[in-house]
Amino acid sequence: MSWEVVIGLEVHVQINTKTKAFCGCSTEFGAEPNTQTCPVCLGMPGQLPVLNSEAVNKTVLTGLAINAQINLESKFDRKNYFYPDLPKGYQISQFAVPLVEHGYLDIPTAEGEKRIGITRIHMEEDAGKSLHEGLDGVSHIDLNRSGIPLMEIVSEPDMRSADEAVAYLKQLHQLVRFLDVSGADMEKGQFRCDANVSVRRRGEPLGTRAELKNLNSFRFIKQAIEYEANRQIELIEDGGTVVQETRLYDSVRGESRSMRSKEEAHDYRYFPEPDLPPLRLSQQQVDAIRDGMPELPGQLRQRFESEYGLSPYDADVLSQTRELAGWYEALVAAHPSDPKRCANWLANELLGRLKEAGRDIEDSPISARQLAGLLDRIEDGTISGKIAKDVLTDMMADGRDADAIIEAKGLKQVSDTGAIDAMIREVFEANPQQLEQYRAGREKLFGFFVGQVMKASKGQANPALVNQRLKALLDG
Ligand code: ADP
Ligand code: MG
Ligand code: ZN
């Protein structure tokens, strides 16, 4: 019997506005608890919310980027529930008529591109945070987060594996960062995912789903979905049935446990928010937002391929973030003769070393102009690519320019025929047997001589010239 896993994702994205959704409090992360609050976001009775138009614009921009319909009239509703981090006793959300509907995202899969439907994006406000750790058994509430604007992005149940779910999330994560609508830092809770998972035998209608909460890294999301799908399959094969519930994934134990039975929409007693009028936008407003759309990851990738002749792989690597793409373009501007060399050195050398140190391109100790300076010296034959790697190590250690290091360490490539001929003669003298064998017809030994001369020069001999002079002296 072949099982199929079905996944639909609900992603909460904090919108990176300066102030909260319905009041003027700062959204800055990391402040002292409860210092960024006011009567509105503390839920004091009688306080009126005023909608942050920047949050609306950023939600519309996201909607346009996923090719969705923008509803020119949408509504706010109250979602009622009790929890200590929700002082009003309700969350302002959009239920009946969301701002954005019917979009999609194309994701890469092993079988090629796949289109994942996005049902809706609605606006809502974040809740506060309960703090339990290190407080001797008491819990504290921090309401700095209360009222930060969120987009909830709800997908269709279109994904069929944990890998597809992760591919979708990565694509969405990259998109909101390119659009600059969210910092999307998962460790700060700016990009949070709930996964709905069900299983069915191929061809059957959708099975009953469980909703997994608390998935705060791509790795845990994959683990949690795989664990949950296997749990459901075993349960059904043992004659049981899946119940609709909310489950919490425990990344330490690598398993999920039931948190509560799944609430239905009617449990929230949704009703229209009386303190906010319907949200009305004009088509001109939406068009203006569309006109300001930045270059999207897919467009950037294609441009890197066509404009700079990069392979699809390199184009993908270098378009992961706007910062990285910008760095690459600055590098090409400073070393315009060879965009592919720029791509190789950035993607393979610089990024590789930064990654080892756990750093991003934003923390690079050398600038794009400095790396270009190193590439110039490879191009004009001053140093070989091999020596350049050592120079880069030194540059990254102390921030000096390539030229200063090449000069100080005397690394200039030897391109002087006389000096190279002298080294070749020394190698011949040291290896008379090989010389004899070569002259007797073992032409394979040519490589051996190249290696010996390079070694004698400590890697500084110009390899092309070594080849040329060796040929002349051996065969001449
Ligand atoms: P709720 O608001 O109660 O969470 P929704 O109908 O809005 O319910 O669905 C939430 C998410 O669950 C959506 O992403 C949807 O694609 C997904 N989903 C719905 N049914 C299933 C199912 N049978 N298996 C997996 N995911 C599902
Ligand atoms: Mg839900
Ligand atoms: Zn406030």
Side-chain angles (χ1 to χ4, degrees):
M1 208 78 68
S2 95
W3 289 97
E4 184 173 60
V5 184
V6 175
I7 304 152
L9 299 173
E10 294 164 277
V11 182
H12 287 93
V13 180
Q14 271 187 2
I15 306 172
N16 61 357
T17 51
K18 288 209 164 55
T19 56
K20 294 186 179 179
F22 302 113
C23 63
C25 291
S26 168
T27 57
E28 192 77 33
F29 182 85
E32 279 293 300
N34 299 307
T35 55
Q36 293 169 170
T37 56
C38 73
V40 172
C41 56
L42 289 173
M44 301 290 178
Q47 298 296 321
L48 291 177
V50 177
L51 180 60
N52 182 334
S53 61
E54 190 60 18
V56 175
N57 292 346
K58 291 193 161 181
T59 305
V60 170
L61 182 64
T62 310
L64 293 171
I66 58 158
N67 303 293
Q69 164 189 322
I70 309 298
N71 291 327
L72 295 182
E73 181 170 322
S74 61
K75 294 197 169 75
F76 287 96
D77 300 284
R78 290 187 177 181
K79 179 178 180 178
N80 299 277
Y81 65 94
F82 173 78
Y83 205 73
D85 63 16
L86 187 74
K88 291 199 298 293
Y90 61 86
Q91 176 192 32
I92 301 178
S93 182
Q94 295 193 299
F95 181 62
V97 191
L99 180 51
V100 175
E101 280 180 291
H102 313 305
Y104 62 83
L105 214 52
D106 290 328
I107 64 161
T109 73
E111 294 84 42
E113 273 206 343
K114 177 170 174 180
R115 182 156 294 183
I116 306 298
I118 294 180
T119 320
R120 54 193 270 148
I121 304 180
H122 60 258
M123 297 184 66
E124 55 186 33
E125 55 177 337
D126 213 341
K129 231 190 281 183
S130 306
L131 310 169
H132 310 293
E133 268 148 50
L135 294 168
D136 288 330
V138 282
S139 292
H140 290 194
I141 303 288
D142 176 9
L143 293 172
N144 284 351
R145 200 177 72 177
S146 168
I148 288 184
L150 294 178
M151 292 186 270
E152 179 171 336
I153 304 175
V154 182
S155 86
E156 292 290 308
D158 284 350
M159 286 151 277
R160 293 291 173 270
S161 68
D163 286 331
E164 284 186 13
V166 170
Y168 167 84
L169 285 169
K170 287 191 169 164
Q171 194 92 344
L172 192 59
H173 187 255
Q174 186 188 31
L175 180 67
V176 297
R177 296 195 34 172
F178 263 73
L179 295 173
D180 192 25
V181 296
S182 176
D185 186 332
M186 293 175 88
E187 283 173 20
K188 293 182 182 166
Q190 294 168 346
F191 188 94
R192 319 196 287 266
C193 168
D194 299 337
N196 294 272
V197 180
S198 65
V199 299
R200 65 176 171 189
R201 292 188 174 89
R202 254 169 243 285
E204 285 183 348
L206 289 181
T208 304
R209 70 191 148 112
E211 185 173 4
L212 303 171
K213 296 257 179 205
N214 198 26
L215 306 175
N216 53 14
S217 80
F218 293 125
R219 193 160 58 91
F220 293 157
I221 287 161
K222 182 169 152 70
Q223 286 172 4
I225 291 173
E226 282 169 354
Y227 173 89
E228 177 60 20
N230 286 331
R231 187 189 69 86
Q232 292 182 13
I233 291 169
E234 278 176 26
L235 186 65
I236 297 170
E237 287 186 341
D238 289 347
T241 45
V242 176
V243 292
Q244 187 161 326
E245 63 182 352
T246 301
R247 297 178 70 86
L248 199 64
Y249 184 66
D250 180 337
S251 58
V252 178
R253 289 161 175 257
E255 57 186 42
S256 66
R257 58 176 183 275
S258 183
M259 200 163 108
R260 54 172 186 251
S261 68
K262 168 82 186 146
E263 52 296 281
E264 303 284 340
H266 62 249
D267 294 331
Y268 288 119
R269 214 167 42 88
Y270 277 102
F271 61 82
E273 166 60 69
D275 290 341
L276 287 167
L279 171 56
R280 291 199 180 87
L281 298 170
S282 68
Q283 190 57 48
Q284 288 91 309
Q285 277 173 292
V286 173
D287 292 343
I289 294 170
R290 184 184 275 115
D291 289 342
M293 175 94 64
E295 192 175 31
L296 297 181
Q299 297 166 328
L300 185 66
R301 217 159 36 231
Q302 277 184 355
R303 187 164 64 77
F304 277 7
E305 286 179 40
S306 59
E307 197 172 320
Y308 301 128
L310 299 189
S311 68
Y313 180 80
D314 282 342
D316 186 50
V317 169
L318 296 175
S319 62
Q320 281 307 306
T321 65
R322 282 222 287 205
E323 291 76 13
L324 180 57
W327 214 98
Y328 173 65
E329 297 211 86
L331 180 61
V332 174
H335 184 78
S337 57
D338 197 338
K340 278 194 200 174
R341 177 187 287 135
C342 291
N344 286 337
W345 278 81
L346 174 54
N348 301 328
E349 292 302 324
L350 185 60
L351 282 187
R353 292 159 198 236
L354 288 171
K355 202 172 171 190
E356 273 171 30
R359 304 167 99 181
D360 289 327
I361 192 68
E362 294 94 301
D363 320 314
S364 169
I366 64 165
S367 65
R369 180 166 285 282
Q370 282 180 300
L371 182 55
L374 177 68
L375 303 189
D376 288 344
R377 294 295 84 83
I378 300 172
E379 182 165 270
D380 66 17
T382 307
I383 54 173
S384 67
K386 194 157 173 287
I387 297 270
K389 291 184 187 177
D390 298 336
V391 175
L392 181 61
T393 304
D394 289 355
M395 291 171 73
M396 291 181 71
D398 61 18
R400 268 187 303 168
D401 285 347
D403 285 341
I405 293 163
I406 293 167
E407 189 62 46
K409 291 197 150 181
L411 295 174
K412 270 205 183 92
Q413 185 158 275
V414 179
S415 295
D416 167 349
T417 314
I420 286 175
D421 284 1
M423 283 188 268
I424 291 175
R425 292 211 177 83
E426 277 172 34
V427 168
F428 286 173
E429 267 166 41
N431 302 281
Q433 278 189 335
Q434 282 85 346
L435 189 60
E436 203 173 303
Q437 289 172 356
Y438 180 86
R439 293 218 156 115
R442 270 194 73 190
E443 291 191 359
K444 272 204 212 150
L445 282 169
F446 189 78
F448 164 80
F449 287 113
V450 173
Q452 292 299 308
V453 176
M454 290 308 292
K455 202 168 144 196
S457 77
K458 300 198 177 64
Q460 281 173 250
N462 178 331
L465 200 54
V466 170
N467 268 275
Q468 187 200 326
R469 295 306 305 154
L470 258 178
K471 274 212 183 77
L473 294 174
L474 279 170
D475 303 335

